[in-house]
Amino acid sequence: MRYRLTIVSDGGGIWRQLPHAKPPGQTVSFWFPHGPDTDALRRRVIATTAHEFQHIATALAGQARRGRQREPDAYLAGACAQLLIEGALARADLPGGHDPRADAFLPEAARRSGHAGNEAGASLSQFFGDAGILYIKGAGRDLAQHCHQTIGFPLQR
């Protein structure tokens, strides 16, 4: 499995794949809007890529496509990846922010995903207590252990 990340300008830049020999296997492509906060962009790329690859991994493992736990597990994978790769996870970077008032305008899959993100963020906030940031070498160890036990995320060595 290959993946391609493309950062596009805020002005709606166009991305075009030039003709070339296709490598064997499948490619998953992600497009992210560029913004002035490159640290936030990096964290979003990490979380989104981990989220989508969690879906791919469960599909390749033969799990049901519409399993009730698939979307919450994918959001958990995004948070776990941020914690393990960055060494920290900010409460502000937890999934969530879906406004249920938009549900009438969204396809069913987007509604389910938004609600799962809100629920995952609320569930993960219990690991923070009063802290705004969890560090892997501190209180974040409990979340890392939860990631390992829940979705098999690797533990930091």
Side-chain angles (χ1 to χ4, degrees), residues 43-61:
R43 292 189 305 270
R44 182 170 176 218
V45 166
I46 291 168
T48 301
T49 303
H51 176 111
E52 296 305 334
F53 271 90
Q54 177 71 19
H55 285 309
I56 292 167
T58 55
L60 292 174

Side-chain angles (χ1 to χ4, degrees), residues 54-72:
Q54 177 71 19
H55 285 309
I56 292 167
T58 55
L60 292 174
Q63 294 182 14
R65 185 169 197 271
R66 296 194 186 269
R68 184 163 168 48
Q69 197 55 37
R70 293 228 14 220
E71 200 63 23

